[in-house]
Amino acid sequence: MTGTGLTDEATYDRTRIEQWRAGKALSRRGMLRLTAGGSLALTAFGALPSGTASAATPIVKPLPPEIFEVYGTNAETRWEAMSGQGYLTPVERFFVRNHTATPTIDVGTWRLKLFGTGLSGGPVEFSYRDLLRLPSESITAAIECAGNGRSYFTSQQGQSVSGTAWKLGAIGVARWRGVRLSTVLVKAGLTRHAVDVLPEGLDADYVTGGVNLGKVRRPLPVAKALQDVLLAYEMNGRPLPPDHGYPVRLVVPSWAGISSIKWLGRIEVSETPLVSPWNTQYYRLLGPGYPAEGTLVTRQVVKSAFELPWNAEFAAGGRQVLRGRSWSGNGRIRRVDVDTGNGWRQAKFVGAAADRGWQRWEIPWRAGVPGAHTLRARATDITGATQPEVTPHNTQGYLFDAVVRHPVRVV
Ligand SMILES: Nc1nc2c(c(=O)[nH]1)N[C@H]1C(S)=C(S)[C@@H](COP(=O)(O)O)O[C@H]1N2
Ligand SMILES: [Mo]
């Protein structure tokens, strides 16, 4: 098995599970034990955050109710707030997913520390200025929570799932500028034997159910880290805003949002596979249809959304143009079909799309008979993956890709 095969997530997961199994007996309980007992970052329950971060209000930017729906420390973008916007999601409208709270970080003393057995020398540090001096690159890419659309497992499929009940607004597309992670890894002395990197945030330890899981962190195979991952310090042409990871975050295109660690502080580089609760306990597809150890969540799935409020109202007999966006972690969208009640019709694409962004589209509609109607949009990506009618259940409600039934009223 070659190292580059690890960008194929199925291979990655199988390989890691095998390596892990070789070392420890793998059972669900074993995984949880490993999680709870094997973490270096583990500190006493209730310990205060350390380092340069300090807890503040959960989210710093304003969250006007016409733009965001707030769930505790998280806020999703209302899809009607994307109507009339350009290709990119403005920072003021970009969803926020915080395990704890947006920290305040002093960029003058901030350092990115790399360490571990996968480096030829000792630990290496980069200041913000060091990073600004390295060759930069810009990419347009979506960041989407793996739980985006989770509420539809319940409302459409009648299934219970755990986690934030997102509708479809836990996604945004931005223009990110920064340094390639590969540039920094090579400068830090990456060896040929390195297999995983473990980026870690500076926000407070995540404590849940009385257990301190330590800093938010999730391993990434070196093959993906070298492929297209960015250490981003700009978002839509301005310094990264506090809520989105200032001063530096990871942008891991096409993969679950959890990979894109914000407020980056440290990166462990290892010759042996790494684990954290975010790849053993969370972000695994678990349930009757999956293997006992679950399937690792890596790449995002195909989804579509109308730029409309839930229960949008239309005047009977009026000519409308319905607009929306579709996206997939597999790459570009090839086609989008819309059903307004009389069968599927192909939507027209609007503007160009970025490989790792979304596709805008529109379709005319004559709102006919007064009453309740259902709008549906179904996208197909370049790999041929199409949104199904039903997403197989997983207990934590990840990767909902089924066609969403969007209710509207004609009055
Ligand atoms: N340090 C840190 N990084 C993090 C998180 C976090 O809570 N702490 N949340 C993750 C999750 S689950 C998602 S979906 C994305 C959300 O990015 P955003 O808040 O910029 O939209 O950040 C990821 N990176
Ligand atoms: Mo997420």
Side-chain angles (χ1 to χ4, degrees), residues 135-205:
S136 76
E137 190 174 295
S138 295
I139 56 170
T140 298
I143 288 184
E144 182 184 19
C145 188
N148 196 24
R150 176 181 284 127
S151 66
Y152 302 109
F153 277 105
T154 307
S155 63
Q156 271 194 197
Q157 304 188 176
Q159 297 158 339
S160 67
V161 287
S162 59
T164 301
W166 302 111
K167 295 182 183 80
L168 284 171
I171 179 167
V173 173
R175 184 89 177 144
W176 310 96
R177 181 161 167 265
V179 183
R180 273 179 166 269
L181 178 55
S182 63
T183 304
V184 165
L185 286 173
V186 169
K187 268 193 144 337
L190 181 74
T191 75
R192 287 188 302 113
H193 306 292
V195 295
D196 278 349
V197 301
L198 181 55
E200 188 180 285
L202 289 166
D203 40 339
D205 289 5

Side-chain angles (χ1 to χ4, degrees), residues 288-357:
Y290 294 97
E293 69 273 19
T295 303
L296 189 71
V297 170
T298 53
R299 202 173 277 268
Q300 290 293 110
V301 290
V302 200
K303 290 195 191 73
S304 302
F306 289 93
E307 294 171 3
L308 289 174
W310 213 243
N311 295 316
E313 290 196 353
F314 296 94
R319 288 183 191 282
Q320 311 291 337
V321 177
L322 302 173
R323 294 191 174 81
R325 304 179 192 228
S326 299
W327 60 95
S328 166
N330 298 320
R332 283 176 198 241
I333 296 299
R334 186 197 282 159
R335 69 177 283 159
V336 175
D337 297 284
V338 170
D339 175 32
T340 53
N342 300 309
W344 295 101
R345 289 182 292 144
Q346 192 171 349
K348 192 179 113 207
F349 284 0
V350 177
D355 284 348
R356 294 161 293 195

Side-chain angles (χ1 to χ4, degrees), residues 94-100 143-146 201-203 216 243-244 249 257-258 260-263 283:
F94 208 99
F95 85 102
V96 180
R97 170 31 176 152
N98 281 352
H99 280 74
T100 59
I143 288 184
E144 182 184 19
C145 188
L202 289 166
D203 40 339
V216 176
D243 296 313
H244 299 288
R249 82 175 301 166
I258 183 62
S260 295
I261 295 294
K262 304 193 277 188
W263 315 295
Y283 301 98

